[in-house]
Amino acid sequence: MGSDYADAADLLRSATDVTLLAHVNPDADALGSALALALALKKLGKRTRVSFGSPDIVPESLRSLDTDGLLVPASEVPAAPATLVVLDCGSDRRLGPLIDRVTATRAAGGRVLVIDHHVGTPRFGTDHILDSSAVATAVLVLALLDELEVPLDPAIATCLYAGVLTDTGFFRRATGATHRIAARLLDEGVDAEALSRRFDEHPFAWLRMLATVLGRAELVPEAAGGRGLVHTAVHLSDLVGVSMDDVEGVVDLVRSSSEAEVAAVAKELEQGVWTVSLRAVGDFDVRAVAASLGGGGHRLAAGFTAHGSAEDVLASIKRALG
């Protein structure tokens, strides 16, 4: 792993123009990691840009991370970047409409650095920093910044802290090493209270959406080999006055049910197209379930995309759970 960091640092030192991509529907780890590295490379005199395939707007809770205006629309991403960095993508499919940038960059003789912490991420780049034991991609980016000898500042530290905070379930899945990293980032000037508040705040319409969605939750005690499943769905009609970003935390509320070790929330992106979040407690592996349905993730947190009715999607989850 040490040589991976050294090789990646050499690659970025020699680059003059770097494009950094997060996965579609970016979360704080994906976007925070990309922006942190872009800010650091800017300090080294590189021209940088950050983007993601979809949606067309940045999630409200993450907009303040882009302190230097480095985010650009997907339409402005070069067709074949000379140096491409892909962050927090368990596969190139997670780039959505920007997946062709990987192929085009490699075909043109460019370099593709993949930085990720998901289990089973294929080596689809030319260079890789892959470590499934890391709690967040942001942790891997921090180690790379140390290799590059770029000092942290409040903006970079805040981007990294956002990734660590959210990918550990607000430190519910943190280790001692995680807290030491968090302490280091806090010492660099992160306003943890303000950052956490941005993830907690929602419009008033969120309360009505939540009441509706939780009201249709169902418990299936016999699912997952008797460990239990609790599930619900968020329909397009539930999203009046709220964004998809506002529903990301619903699965963590559903997971709080003590009668089930597995929670599933299907969220309708467009008519008949769903993104499904899976969560688990104990030793149940929802990554394997997501993988069987075309997705991926981690043992306790995973997801996939599905098509059909809400009933079809939830039935497929029950079958996959056994």
Side-chain angles (χ1 to χ4, degrees):
M1 184 62 70
S3 62
D4 291 341
Y5 284 108
D7 291 344
D10 287 342
L11 165 62
L12 295 176
R13 287 192 192 98
S14 63
T16 57
D17 189 292
V18 183
T19 298
L20 303 98
L21 299 181
H23 58 66
V24 293
N25 300 305
D27 57 13
D29 191 30
L31 206 57
S33 295
L35 286 168
L37 183 53
L39 286 167
L41 293 175
K42 184 180 177 184
K43 279 189 172 185
L44 295 177
K46 319 296 181 182
R47 183 182 179 190
T48 63
R49 65 192 63 79
V50 175
S51 192
F52 50 90
S54 64
D56 295 331
I57 59 173
V58 181
E60 178 68 32
S61 61
L62 304 180
R63 290 177 188 173
S64 64
L65 298 180
D66 185 21
T67 56
D68 285 31
L70 300 180
L71 280 165
V72 301
S75 60
E76 294 183 15
V77 174
T83 303
L84 180 64
V85 183
V86 178
L87 299 105
D88 203 42
C89 288
S91 76
D92 56 356
R93 295 193 306 271
R94 293 284 284 149
L95 289 170
L98 292 177
I99 188 173
D100 62 336
R101 298 322 196 260
V102 173
T103 304
T105 296
R106 298 191 65 165
R111 303 278 288 276
V112 180
L113 171 61
V114 179
I115 306 175
D116 187 54
H117 74 128
H118 293 93
V119 175
T121 301
R123 300 176 74 85
F124 60 86
T126 60
D127 301 82
H128 303 83
I129 296 176
L130 304 176
D131 184 358
S132 60
S133 69
V135 296
T137 295
V139 172
L140 306 181
V141 171
L142 177 60
L144 178 56
L145 297 189
D146 289 340
E147 185 71 31
L148 286 165
E149 298 182 340
V150 177
L152 300 179
D153 60 26
I156 293 174
T158 297
C159 288
L160 295 174
Y161 188 89
V164 173
L165 175 71
T166 55
D167 254 36
T168 59
F170 289 77
F171 296 112
R172 285 190 293 270
R173 298 184 296 276
T175 64
T178 307
H179 286 290
R180 287 188 288 274
I181 289 171
R184 177 184 172 190
L185 298 175
L186 289 169
D187 287 343
E188 293 296 337
V190 175
D191 187 339
E193 182 180 1
L195 184 62
S196 296
R197 191 184 312 120
R198 285 198 288 274
F199 292 117
D200 289 337
E201 290 179 339
H202 302 282
F204 179 76
W206 178 79
L207 296 175
R208 291 180 175 170
M209 178 277 297
L210 198 61
T212 300
V213 170
L214 294 182
R216 67 167 67 105
E218 295 183 5
L219 177 67
V220 187
E222 67 276 13
R227 300 188 187 194
L229 164 70
V230 59
H231 65 78
T232 191
V234 182
H235 297 267
L236 286 174
S237 58
D238 300 322
L239 297 177
V240 177
V242 299
S243 67
M244 190 57 68
D245 186 39
D246 289 314
V247 305
E248 286 303 309
V250 172
V251 68
D252 292 313
L253 296 174
V254 173
R255 181 174 53 177
S256 64
S257 173
S258 62
E259 293 91 345
E261 288 197 16
V262 181
V265 175
K267 296 159 287 186
E268 194 171 20
L269 297 176
E270 55 186 84
Q271 191 69 41
V273 181
W274 304 80
T275 178
V276 181
S277 296
L278 301 174
R279 297 292 186 271
V281 296
D283 58 359
F284 197 90
D285 185 0
V286 291
R287 188 198 69 82
V289 174
S292 73
L293 296 168
H298 307 284
R299 184 175 65 83
L300 299 179
F304 64 95
T305 300
H307 298 77
S309 67
E311 292 74 19
D312 293 337
V313 174
L314 294 171
S316 71
I317 296 171
K318 294 174 189 177
R319 287 193 299 270
L321 285 170

